[in-house]
Amino acid sequence: MNKVLKTTAGALIVPALAVTISLALGIDGVSAQSSIQDGINASQGTGVPTELFGDGSIFTTIVNILLFIIGAISVIMLIIGGIRYTVSGGDAAAVTGAKNTILYAIIGLVVAFLAFAVVNWVLGSLTNS
């Protein structure tokens, strides 16, 4: 069984390597740089950011998405903490746990807003100079 797998894997790897090497060396008449650039251009869709920093850049998009997710999780945890506080029924341990959940959710929101401000300030100072 192992011998069959090794033979099959070898039979598939050799043609893949041959195609890769021929494309990299430009054997098909197209230089490697242009074929790589053509592949990059083909993989880009419309509206896809192409710059790393600046307005609408890749870094800004990723940071904004991550900060949105953190903010959404903080709001959800704030709601869960409120529900836990309401349902606690006066149990001291449950009330303390609910208060801690609310406190940490608020801290998470503050950290998300501060991170957003710091990232935008740093990106603004990098792109303006």
Side-chain angles (χ1 to χ4, degrees), residues 49-83:
T50 57
E51 295 189 17
L52 190 59
F53 296 109
D55 292 335
S57 66
I58 296 169
F59 186 75
T60 305
T61 304
I62 291 172
V63 167
N64 287 340
I65 289 171
L66 290 176
L67 289 175
F68 174 78
I69 291 169
I70 290 170
I73 290 172
S74 295
V75 169
I76 290 169
M77 291 307 295
L78 188 64
I79 293 169
I80 289 172
I83 292 170

Side-chain angles (χ1 to χ4, degrees), residues 53-123:
F53 296 109
D55 292 335
S57 66
I58 296 169
F59 186 75
T60 305
T61 304
I62 291 172
V63 167
N64 287 340
I65 289 171
L66 290 176
L67 289 175
F68 174 78
I69 291 169
I70 290 170
I73 290 172
S74 295
V75 169
I76 290 169
M77 291 307 295
L78 188 64
I79 293 169
I80 289 172
I83 292 170
R84 286 179 61 192
Y85 190 76
T86 305
V87 177
S88 67
D91 182 24
V95 169
T96 303
K99 285 182 179 180
N100 285 339
T101 302
I102 293 170
L103 175 69
Y104 296 144
I106 291 172
I107 290 172
L109 278 172
V110 170
V111 166
F113 285 130
L114 289 175
F116 179 75
V118 167
V119 166
N120 283 333
W121 177 72
V122 168
L123 287 177

Side-chain angles (χ1 to χ4, degrees), residues 14-31:
V14 171
L17 285 176
V19 169
T20 305
I21 291 171
S22 69
L23 287 176
L25 295 177
I27 294 174
D28 62 344
V30 179
S31 69

Side-chain angles (χ1 to χ4, degrees), residues 1-18:
M1 180 74 173
N2 286 335
K3 187 175 182 182
V4 172
L5 287 176
K6 288 179 184 178
T7 305
T8 305
L12 294 175
I13 289 175
V14 171
L17 285 176

